[in-house]
Amino acid sequence: MRFTFIISLVLFIAFSCGKGNKKQFEHAGGGLRLALDNEPTTLDPKEISDYFSASVVSQIMEGLVSLDPKTLEPQPQLAKSWKVSDDGLTYTFFIRQDVLFHSNDVLSDEDRRMSVRDIEYTFERICTKNQDGSVPHAYNFIFKDVLLGADDFLQGKTKTIKGITCTDKTISLKLTSKDENFLNKLANVCAAIGSEKVLKTGKPDKPIGTGPFCFQEIKQGEPKSLILLKNEDYYSKDKNGNALPYLDSLVFYFQNRKLEQLDMFESGMTDLILGLPTSRIAKMLEGRIQDFNSKPPVLVMYDNPLLSTQYYFFNMSDPRFKDPRVRQAFNYAIDREKLGREVLRNQYHQLGYYGIIPPIYAMFKGYNFESVKEVCYTYDPEKARKLLAEAGFPGGKGFGSINLRFNIDEKHSAVADEFAQQIYQNLNINVNIDGSTFEQKESDGETGNGHIFRSAWYGDYANPETFLANFYGKLVPANPSERSKINQSRYQNSLFDHFFEAAKNSDRKPEALENYAKAERILMQDPPIIPLWYAGDIQIVYSNVRNLHFNVLNMFVFKEVFKKDWTEEEYTKATN
């Protein structure tokens, strides 16, 4: 009944997002439904730093550039092209003139046309402190110490950003120093462009963008869902001139229980599932083997490594964790083989014997993973106890208990329980496991409300910088009471910062990779984290979902996705 009601609602309002009379793809229409483990923590792009928020909002809002889902290289989006000055410091973007913001009650038809001023205002908003005095995530991620004049603007010293110049059709951004990943960062959803008039209403809880899908509503219920509808006024077309997107709707369900997600998928309530519950992997794969092997198949499985690291981080504000020997002891006390075998049921790409950067050699060609592994941690409880004693806590005496914060779901709850048992068994330290929602866990991590935190990082782009930036000391707020949104552990190490900056400022890729590896070695010798495993989730989709590209970033672009059942003849021809 619940499923039927939502589909009826989608059909009823399917054309409320806009109007158009464009050439349509012959298989256009229908909807796609999927479940995410957690709700978005925010729908305001400039504050998005988590995977779940990005997955939703990136369907609604766009930036000057985007990442190609197949190659993961920057490609034109709201900018139809760009050029970079010879010195690598100035990026000039040539802006599309045919882009409309989604229809809404704030903008008139004339106001809906995106202008260069909308782009300039979006960047000014990113470089403006929030009402509570905090700094937007997007500022730290993209513009801090990079865009000329951004810091002065943030501090209120200037009324304009010196590094931004505009014409009616172009916007130029001048940097203080070269940044090889600047385009990759602009492709992030936190740099998505909004309407100046809409943003000034102060109501970014309902995102109005230029993307292929429009925000419709959030529906309460079990599970909670968020509905997006086709943007009938979307500017982009496919190679044959057909209007995009093909789908009429996208429905995101939010369900943190993987068993429930699997039931939703097997009943046809969702069209794909990202990761299987560990207790049901064998039953699912073996029980439906015919659905995978038939021609055409009913189900298609993908099992690729993801650019994702699952780890725990220490709250470096806690005096007990100031001594690196304590943090090293915790790392040596974890039996990752047991964790992978008995808790994860071998559902991972690799175990956490490296650092923060996932050891995917094909994605990071030339990166010295082995040099990082040399200073990382295997299971050695004797060494762990020795280090803890040297730090002044023999047998755990005088250390006290610690609080482990994590977001509740089947996997993370089981991992937290196993972690607590191993730490108590090997270090005689009591770990209180404290589960909550993902949103609450993230908030507590930013404010340091806890001792150790469960976390994961999905790469924003295929470069070591996106992982190592989480520990860059200059991203720690000077005021301890201020939220630390990127460097949540509040880790500061001048030698790490030195090599990290040397890598960022390098003109030569081999030199940059060498310095990133040196920075990661420092990080793991003075570890603010406990790497647990590198993700490689099984992804299963019904075969009638076409043009859906899976990639190591787990980044989805749905605008060219359509649904059509295969005939045996068509499938045989396509696979041959």
Side-chain angles (χ1 to χ4, degrees):
M1 284 292 290
R2 181 174 64 249
F3 172 58
T4 303
F5 173 75
I6 288 177
I7 293 302
S8 299
L9 174 68
V10 168
L11 292 173
F12 178 73
I13 56 182
F15 297 101
S16 65
C17 195
K19 294 183 289 184
N21 187 24
K22 302 176 182 178
K23 179 184 175 184
Q24 298 294 321
F25 179 52
E26 61 178 321
H27 303 301
L32 188 80
R33 301 141 301 165
L34 69 155
L36 295 178
D37 293 351
N38 297 285
E39 297 178 40
T41 60
T42 179
L43 297 179
D44 185 355
K46 70 182 176 69
E47 300 297 349
I48 291 177
S49 61
D50 67 280
Y51 172 77
F52 308 105
S53 301
S55 296
V56 173
V57 178
S58 62
Q59 314 307 322
I60 305 168
M61 304 188 73
E62 302 172 311
L64 295 178
V65 296
S66 61
L67 296 183
D68 185 306
K70 291 182 282 188
T71 68
L72 301 181
E73 293 293 326
Q75 63 181 1
Q77 196 60 58
L78 297 179
K80 59 185 178 182
S81 62
W82 67 82
K83 68 177 182 180
V84 184
S85 62
D86 291 340
D87 62 7
L89 296 179
T90 302
Y91 289 72
T92 300
F93 298 91
F94 300 87
I95 307 304
R96 298 183 65 112
Q97 302 298 299
D98 56 351
V99 178
L100 299 178
F101 288 108
H102 300 158
S103 179
N104 61 89
D105 56 9
V106 176
L107 302 178
S108 66
D109 289 344
E110 184 178 345
D111 292 333
R112 286 181 60 201
R113 187 168 299 278
M114 187 193 72
S115 69
V116 172
R117 174 55 192 163
D118 291 312
I119 301 170
E120 182 182 31
Y121 180 78
T122 297
F123 293 159
E124 290 174 348
R125 182 172 179 263
I126 287 173
C127 298
T128 300
K129 290 184 180 181
N130 298 315
Q131 288 186 345
D132 63 1
S134 63
V135 176
H137 164 75
Y139 172 77
N140 284 326
F141 180 70
I142 304 172
F143 293 140
K144 179 180 170 63
D145 299 329
V146 173
L147 179 62
L148 183 66
D151 300 345
D152 286 341
F153 186 84
L154 182 84
Q155 298 301 327
K157 297 178 181 178
T158 59
K159 293 185 178 181
T160 59
I161 299 174
K162 186 176 181 180
I164 299 181
T165 56
C166 303
T167 70
D168 288 345
K169 297 182 179 180
T170 67
I171 185 167
S172 295
L173 306 177
K174 186 175 179 60
L175 311 187
T176 57
S177 59
K178 292 177 68 173
D179 184 346
E180 65 170 325
N181 290 310
F182 188 64
L183 288 174
N184 284 315
K185 293 172 185 175
L186 284 181
N188 190 278
V189 68
C190 67
I193 305 304
S195 158
E196 177 181 16
K197 190 170 182 179
V198 170
L199 292 172
K200 282 184 174 179
T201 66
K203 297 179 180 179
D205 54 314
K206 182 178 180 180
I208 302 296
T210 61
F213 296 93
C214 309
F215 177 88
Q216 179 61 30
E217 68 172 323
I218 294 175
K219 288 197 66 64
Q220 301 300 322
E222 185 55 46
K224 192 174 183 179
S225 61
L226 185 148
I227 298 171
L228 306 182
L229 300 181
K230 176 177 183 174
N231 176 9
E232 297 286 352
D233 296 322
Y234 192 54
Y235 57 88
S236 189
K237 299 179 177 63
D238 68 15
K239 62 182 180 181
N240 295 317
N242 294 307
L244 294 174
Y246 301 143
L247 295 168
D248 287 334
S249 66
L250 278 176
V251 178
F252 292 93
Y253 295 102
F254 306 117
Q255 174 57 264
N256 63 11
R257 296 186 294 275
K258 278 294 182 184
L259 286 171
E260 295 290 338
Q261 283 191 27
L262 182 57
D263 288 343
M264 293 165 67
F265 177 73
E266 293 203 282
S267 69
M269 186 174 175
T270 56
D271 296 291
L272 64 151
I273 183 168
L274 309 175
L276 296 178
T278 52
S279 59
R280 292 269 294 275
I281 294 173
K283 183 178 179 181
M284 167 64 181
L285 299 184
E286 294 171 7
R288 301 195 63 173
I289 191 69
Q290 184 60 33
D291 287 336
F292 290 106
N293 291 339
S294 60
K295 293 185 179 180
V298 176
L299 303 174
V300 180
M301 182 179 73
Y302 298 86
D303 186 11
N304 298 316
L306 301 177
L307 210 57
S308 170
T309 302
Q310 301 280 337
Y311 62 98
Y312 286 167
F313 70 82
F314 299 96
N315 178 359
M316 298 296 291
S317 300
D318 189 313
R320 294 173 294 181
F321 297 135
K322 296 294 185 184
D323 191 325
R325 291 172 296 187
V326 172
R327 290 173 270 128
Q328 291 168 355
F330 273 75
N331 270 279
Y332 280 121
I334 299 303
D335 186 347
R336 293 170 177 81
E337 294 294 331
K338 182 180 180 183
L339 181 70
R341 181 180 63 253
E342 298 184 10
V343 180
L344 301 177
R345 309 284 181 89
N346 300 315
Q347 192 177 353
Y348 56 83
H349 172 57
Q350 287 202 50
L351 292 172
Y353 295 128
Y354 295 80
I356 187 65
I357 301 172
I360 305 178
Y361 289 74
M363 292 303 301
F364 299 114
K365 292 179 180 178
Y367 192 77
N368 195 344
F369 284 106
E370 296 308 311
S371 73
V372 175
K373 189 178 181 181
E374 289 172 0
V375 297
C376 290
Y377 304 89
T378 55
Y379 182 49
D380 192 337
E382 287 300 322
K383 193 168 187 176
R385 287 189 282 269
K386 181 181 178 182
L387 284 165
L388 192 65
E390 290 175 358
F393 304 103
K397 185 177 180 180
F399 193 86
S401 63
I402 60 173
N403 174 277
L404 170 63
R405 299 285 291 107
F406 67 98
N407 53 293
I408 297 173
D409 73 5
E410 178 193 28
K411 180 184 295 183
H412 299 314
S413 299
V415 170
D417 186 61
E418 178 65 26
F419 175 83
Q421 292 183 43
Q422 292 191 22
I423 292 299
Y424 182 75
Q425 177 183 343
N426 294 322
L427 298 180
N428 197 31
I429 293 174
N430 186 54
V431 178
N432 300 314
I433 57 176
D434 184 8
S436 68
T437 64
F438 177 79
E439 183 177 16
Q440 184 62 54
K441 188 271 300 181
E442 282 292 286
S443 178
D444 288 340
E446 292 174 0
T447 58
N449 182 24
H451 304 133
I452 296 180
F453 297 82
R454 177 260 155 189
S455 191
W457 190 256
Y458 285 84
D460 295 299
Y461 44 90
N463 188 281
E465 181 192 5
T466 185
F467 287 90
L468 295 174
N470 289 285
F471 308 98
Y472 185 38
K474 293 182 180 179
L475 294 179
V476 177
N479 183 351
S481 65
E482 187 177 330
R483 290 178 178 269
S484 190
K485 296 185 179 181
I486 297 180
N487 187 343
Q488 291 188 1
S489 67
R490 299 177 189 257
Y491 176 75
Q492 292 179 299
N493 183 309
S494 59
L495 192 55
F496 171 88
D497 289 352
H498 166 76
F499 287 120
F500 179 73
E501 290 172 353
K504 283 186 62 179
N505 297 331
S506 176
D507 291 330
R508 296 173 51 248
K509 186 174 181 179
E511 182 182 83
L513 292 176
E514 180 182 357
N515 281 309
Y516 280 132
K518 288 179 178 178
E520 191 174 17
R521 279 178 60 90
I522 297 298
L523 183 78
M524 295 314 299
Q525 288 170 310
D526 178 35
I529 62 171
I530 304 172
L532 297 173
W533 75 92
Y534 308 100
D537 286 346
I538 293 171
Q539 300 151 330
I540 302 177
V541 60
Y542 284 97
S543 65
N544 67 340
V545 177
R546 306 206 195 180
N547 272 3
L548 180 62
H549 301 290
F550 292 90
N551 52 62
V552 296
L553 298 183
N554 229 11
M555 176 192 76
F556 295 105
V557 177
F558 294 110
K559 61 186 176 184
E560 292 195 49
V561 170
F562 66 96
K563 297 173 76 173
K564 179 180 181 294
D565 291 332
W566 294 88
T567 64
E568 183 176 354
E569 180 182 2
E570 182 188 14
Y571 182 78
T572 300
K573 182 178 180 180
T575 53
N576 287 340

